[in-house]
Amino acid sequence: MDYTNNSFQNNCERNPALYKQCSLLWLDSWSADSLLKIPKLIVSKFYATQIDTTPSTALALKKHDSVEVSEVYEYFRSIYASLTQPMASPRRYIAFVHTYGLLYTKLQQTIVARCNQLKAGVRKLDEARDVVKNLQTQATTREVVLAAKKEETTFQWNLIMENMRTTQEQEINVKELQAKTVAENKTMLQKKTIIDAELKEIHPRLIEAQEAVGNLNEAALNEIKTLRAPPATITNILEGVLCLMGIKDHTWMSMKTFLSRRTVIKELKSFDSAKINPADRRAVEALLVSKADSFDRVNARRASQAAEPLAVWVTANVQYSQVLERIEPLMTQQANLERNLNAAEQQIVQLTQDMVDVKGKNESLKVQLEATNKEVAELEVSLETIKSTLASASILVVKLQDEFKRWTTQVSELGMTLDTLAVKSILAAAFITYLSDAHENDRVKYVKSWLNLAKIEDFDFCSFMSTEQELLSFKVLGLPSDRLSQENAIIIMQTSLRPYLIDPSSRATGWLKAYLKKDDIPVVDVSLRDPKFAHELELAVRFGKALIVHEADEIDPILMPLLRGDFVSQGSRDIIQIGDKFIDFNQDFKLYMTTRNPSPILPPASAGVITIVNFTTTRAGLTTQLLSTTLGFEKPELETRKSELLEQTDMMKQDLNNLGTQLLKELASATGNILQNQELLHSLQQTKDKSNEINESLVQKQEVERTLNSEINVYLPLAEFGSLLFFSILDIPKLNRLYKFSLSCFIHLFRKTLGLRSDIKDSTEKRMIYLQRALENLIYEYVCQSLFKGDRLAFALHLTHAMHPTCFQKDEWEVFVGQLNVSAIRVSGIPSWIPDDRQGPVNNLSTHFHNLYHKLNLQNELDWLKFMSVTECEKAFPIGIQDVLSSFQIVLTIQALRPDRLFTAMSDFCKITLDRKSLFPPPTSFREILSDTRSKEPILILVASGADPSQELRELGESVVGIEKYFEISMGKEEPDVVLDKIHEAVQSGQWICLKNLHLVTHWLDSLEKEIQKLEKPHAEFRLWLTSEPHDQFPTILAETCLKIAYESPEGLKKNLQRTYTNWSKEYVVGDRNILRMQSLFVLAFFHAVLQQRRTYIPQGWSKFYQFNESDLRAGAEVLDNMFKSLRGKKIEWSYIRGIFENAIYGGRVDNEYDSRILLSYLENYFNDNILTVNGDKPPKQNVAQGIILPTRESYQDYISLLDKFSDYDPPSILGLPGNIERSWQLTMSNQVITQLKIMARHIIEEGQFVSSVWLNEMSPILNVWKKVNQMNNTTNLLGPPKISDLKLADDLGPLENFVRLEQHNIHEFLRTVHKHLGNISKISRGIMSPNKEMLEIFNSLSKGEAPDVWFKIWEGPQEAKEYITGIVSKVVSIQKWLNLAEQDSLLIEPLNLADLLNPISFMSAFKQYCARKQNLCMDELGFVCFWKRPGGLGSKIPICKLTGLYLEGCTFDGNTLVENTPESPHISKLPDCIIAWVPLINVSDYRNEEAIPIPVYFNESRQKLLTCLNLPIDGSKDNWIQAGVAVFLKSN
């Protein structure tokens, strides 16, 4: 009853009692209160008693006390609320809580035990550290004392020796000083004698001058001061006085000021001549010379009484200063000698006393030195004892210092872990419960959002749930080393539900077996389809074995009680029901289910009780695998060294971890004084030494690893390229389920690429580039041989976009495929010369790519005329434009302006980017493919409708293994067991088996795939050929297992005819050597090829795909054979042949009368006497086609030679199609390619799933367009419930007005229907309602960008969804205009566009009824006529209607007659307005042109619904226009 499952609606419909007999209480989800209470109840009931309650775990338990419990349990509800369907189911919520309980209990106990062990080890080390610390303190103290004593002894000894040296030096110094004193005393006396001699003469004069100055009185000085203009003598003398005194101002005022001093006489008398400045003295000397008269005593006395002594004073001081200057060096020497002499005498006295003191001290120091030496000896003995004890303790303290720090840190970290254990356990439980099947990117996204909820900065699932040692052991046992695989392995080990492994490569299953066996767990490996499965299950449950169920593509009902945990307690035993038995359940029982199917379909009841663990290959994992493969080919020694290095490193890390554990265990379990336990100390030392050795080796290995990685990284780009390439082809199955490719197949092709030798020898980097191109080319060709031709260009574009993203600028790809909304804003300035139907695309181009639009310079119309008119426009860009555009911008430009050449532009772009000459590899024969096949790999031939490879396969088998070893089996006719027996027989004997039409037995193909997988060592010649048409139920796992070949009808007449003549043996063609029969067979083959080739140009070649196949050709050939056998020698009735072909063989498949007209035209052209006639060696009167002349001999080789002359390219004329058919074909094909690209870009939801977020993401653009288009056209008021007065019909209103009112009502109802559907889509996307079958179908169509079929039943509008809904609103607006005209009775006055209507056929009937009323005739008495010009002679009673909006395809109309299209003609052309009328039958011939042909009028270009036919005048044979596929269709303005 899971409404998110696709089968929900069907289940309800199949069980009507649910509605009739039951009262349903629908609980879509639990309330918020329930989500909060359930974890509390489960934890308290099942896990509370298991939680450790020792004091050491108080930190962990604080999250479960009464204060904070609500906060912890709130995380359960928050995480559940963050999930999307189908993850958020109540059953999984319960599993979430149980997983949490198990994890928390286990982790808490593990952490506490580890913490206690670490603390014990740390405590032992702490004790040793305390002992060592005390010993070190004692040792340090005694070392300090010892050092001090030693230093003291040394100091004392050095002091004694220093004193002795000092005494000796002092005795020598005394003697030297005494000798020196005597010498210096003698020298001093000599100097004194010289000085005295110099001063003897001048000194008396100086004394005399001083005395004369001293005798001066103030009156004499005042006399001088009173002089207003003193004589020169006085001024000269005073100038000399001032100059010697150092006074620079020699003015009379300065002189008077000097003389006015009270102490002037005292200053002059006490003046020191030694202080005279030499410069001042020289100035006075010059004055004495120049003014000698002034200083004469007589002249001075004459001038003034005071002048004479001053003159004498000046002269004496100058002379005395001159003498002092001469004897100054002698005086200085004398002074120094006196000082030295005094110092030497004092030093002699001091040295003598010091020598006496030193001798006394030395005696005292010798006594102290002896005592200190004794103390040093005693300290050294004591310190040696302490050091000996400390050496033993240092092993624990010093060597285990790193361990002590690490263990202390770990204790702290474990404490922090306990602090957040509850929250992180919830996160881990959520990861295990809800993300086991999620993609790695989704896991990162969800974990990030949960961290925000829990307010935790960091959470690493692998680190939290496992140790590095465990992860290393996983790798050693064969688990891939990528992160996703490691997370999955932890999930398998920790989930509370039974693991269900999606393991396409089976590597994870191999690891699981090895992991279980490592722990000595008995493992039973059994297939779900094994007849003994139930028995093995019983034994495993009873005896507690691990049961691995492989090939579990579904959940067998027998497993459900185990998965749900439906136990019955009987005393201390648990009983479980297995089938119809109740057996004891062993708690050691483990169940693991595995499947290779990457997309198993599991019902909700099963999916809710298992943990789906997805091991599908990831990008990172595949890159690693491809890198290893590359190294194995390119540099095997590097790979070997890398493997050995990794193995050695992993082993060393494990050993290091084991040693650390052993070290901690020994230390923690030690008793007593560990420092006295020599055995323990020795063991610890050995362990630590080994640990150090390993650490050193690891450091060396890391350096080697860095060197290796630098060498290996050169090959990494190829591995990354290959990984990206593989994931780029995973989207192709969205086009066809059979386009599935396995990883093993890709690896095989990758290895094949590595085996290629290139001429590039310059560098490894260049070879890697070469191999990338080679790999891309090989994968492209391999995939292309598996694709039908119609899917190859889409694949090429998809591959180009995935592998060469640099070729696309921002938003270019999205605009190209229509993933960005078309701009509704009209950009001004779009040139008027651009056709109306291209204005929108050009506007879109301008809106999204302004720079590109500017580069195109579309304003210059003359430059673009050729581009818009020529056939190959991609070669006719204006000069210079193509040079500034990228390759893809050229595609965008052609898409906007010339979509009729878009297919070619896309092909050219892919060829340039992929560096290929052709996107379509030449067809490969089965014989060529045979060399690439292997006996263990089936060959699946994908057969297109109308193709049959049986004959070609049969001939290949006959030539290779012989017809007796080739067996064909048509599925549906033989029992499956018989088929399997035949396969097993062929495996042993080397036969070929061909199983045909597998699409008829898709329910059995899973069993076939399992049997194929069981094949071991098949015969080398054994081959299993499978043929199937595409089918939605074909198992993808079988498809990816096979080598696939797409088989279609040959492309082109030449290849088609060659295949026919290959299937026809030479003997059959020659037959009874009847030339006419041989010609008839050729014409039949040609006719058959033409019919098939026209399918290329649907809907113009045929209106739909008709399955003209080999059986039609065989039936036609049989008819001809029978005719020639029965009419020997008689005239052949070709009309009979044509009738058989038209009505029984080929015509029986055609259901369109105008397609039948084409078929009949070909029959009449080919099967007639003009072409098929024998007239000797003369050629027939008429050729089958231009240049095709039928042979006139009985030679088989003539026909083969004729086929060789055929061109590989079929001109449209040979099929009777117009020259511009290529344009129509390109439009159709390019639209198809873009649709395919959209499909490949879709997010595919697996069957049985509903994901609201995907619906919301996929439908938002459609819903937004619907909202905007209704708002823009003011139609939102029509979206509500209809009013009662909406429909007013009455007989008096007339048939036309009644029709218009009814049409408006229908359009409004359709508008509301579409609105209802889209509204339901919106509600489903937001989780308000559940999807039913109809809504799922609508969603699937809209997600492809297509309008749903349920809408097409009402109106066959555009295929594109956005255009369709826009067209609906447009019809609402248009029908209102029709109604306004009808109410004014002027509807037929204006030209009418029938494309505005939902039911134009009803309008034609209403118009006919209106004409009948106007002419008072029965409707059966009226005939339909049309005119292309204003008719004359109709009369006023005959109403006419002018139709507009008619378009012609297949030719053009010049107003007078139809004109054949040229290659440059547009693919459609607008017809002039057509006037239609219903006239009396008797007058119809008067208005019809005999030289006219009825042309069908279809609703739209798809030609699926016929409206009427219009006669158009022609010139020439009608067959030309019939075969050209001329048609008219409606098109809205």
Side-chain angles (χ1 to χ4, degrees), residues 509 513 517 522-528 530 533 536 546-551 592 594:
T509 306
K513 294 176 185 177
K517 290 178 181 178
V523 178
V524 178
D525 188 10
V526 64
S527 171
L528 186 65
D530 194 316
F533 169 70
E536 294 290 351
L547 184 67
I548 299 178
V549 183
H550 58 84
E551 306 299 348
Y592 305 93
T594 71

Side-chain angles (χ1 to χ4, degrees), residues 93-325:
Y93 186 69
I94 293 176
F96 172 26
V97 178
H98 277 290
T99 303
Y100 161 75
L102 293 171
L103 286 181
Y104 183 83
T105 302
K106 178 181 177 181
L107 290 172
Q108 183 218 33
Q109 294 172 354
T110 301
I111 291 172
V112 170
R114 175 68 175 172
C115 195
N116 290 337
Q117 190 180 34
L118 288 169
K119 285 181 178 178
V122 171
R123 187 166 55 252
K124 294 291 184 181
L125 288 179
D126 269 331
E127 293 172 0
R129 285 165 63 89
D130 290 340
V131 173
V132 170
K133 186 176 181 180
N134 292 333
L135 291 174
Q136 284 179 336
T137 302
Q138 294 178 24
T140 302
T141 302
R142 297 194 181 189
E143 282 179 344
V144 170
V145 174
L146 178 61
K149 291 296 182 181
K150 285 184 176 181
E151 185 177 352
E152 183 180 352
T153 302
T154 304
F155 176 75
Q156 291 171 347
W157 173 254
N158 290 338
L159 188 58
I160 292 171
M161 298 303 295
E162 183 64 26
N163 288 341
M164 293 176 67
R165 285 194 298 271
T166 302
T167 302
Q168 293 174 357
E169 290 174 356
Q170 286 174 343
E171 290 177 350
I172 296 171
N173 289 339
V174 168
K175 293 178 181 180
E176 290 177 351
L177 286 173
Q178 290 174 345
K180 184 178 179 182
T181 301
V182 173
E184 288 182 349
N185 194 24
K186 183 178 179 180
T187 302
M188 185 179 64
L189 293 174
Q190 294 174 352
K191 300 291 184 185
K192 187 175 183 303
T193 302
I194 296 172
I195 292 171
D196 291 342
E198 288 286 344
L199 295 176
K200 181 177 181 182
E201 181 180 351
I202 190 60
H203 192 265
R205 292 182 186 176
L206 180 62
I207 296 299
E208 181 185 356
Q210 290 176 345
E211 290 176 352
V213 171
N215 294 328
L216 286 174
N217 52 44
E218 292 184 4
L221 295 176
N222 290 334
E223 180 187 350
I224 297 174
K225 290 190 291 183
T226 60
L227 295 175
R228 293 177 64 120
T233 302
I234 292 175
T235 58
N236 290 336
I237 292 171
L238 288 176
E239 181 180 353
V241 173
L242 292 178
C243 192
L244 291 177
M245 293 294 287
I247 298 172
K248 301 301 181 183
D249 188 358
H250 298 163
T251 63
W252 175 240
M253 184 60 66
S254 177
M255 294 175 183
K256 289 198 298 181
T257 300
F258 173 74
L259 294 175
S260 298
R261 294 178 183 177
R262 291 181 179 181
T263 60
V264 62
I265 297 173
K266 186 179 179 181
E267 288 179 10
L268 292 172
K269 187 176 181 179
S270 62
F271 181 75
D272 187 0
S273 302
K275 295 181 178 179
I276 296 174
N277 189 297
D280 292 339
R281 192 194 69 210
R282 285 192 291 273
V284 175
E285 288 174 351
L287 184 64
L288 290 175
V289 174
S290 61
K291 307 294 184 181
D293 293 339
S294 297
F295 290 91
D296 182 66
R297 297 184 70 168
V298 177
N299 294 335
R301 190 182 310 119
R302 190 181 298 125
S304 172
Q305 185 180 359
E308 180 184 0
L310 291 174
V312 173
W313 182 88
V314 170
T315 304
N317 273 288
V318 169
Q319 292 174 350
Y320 190 76
S321 178
Q322 291 172 346
V323 172
L324 287 178
E325 185 175 7

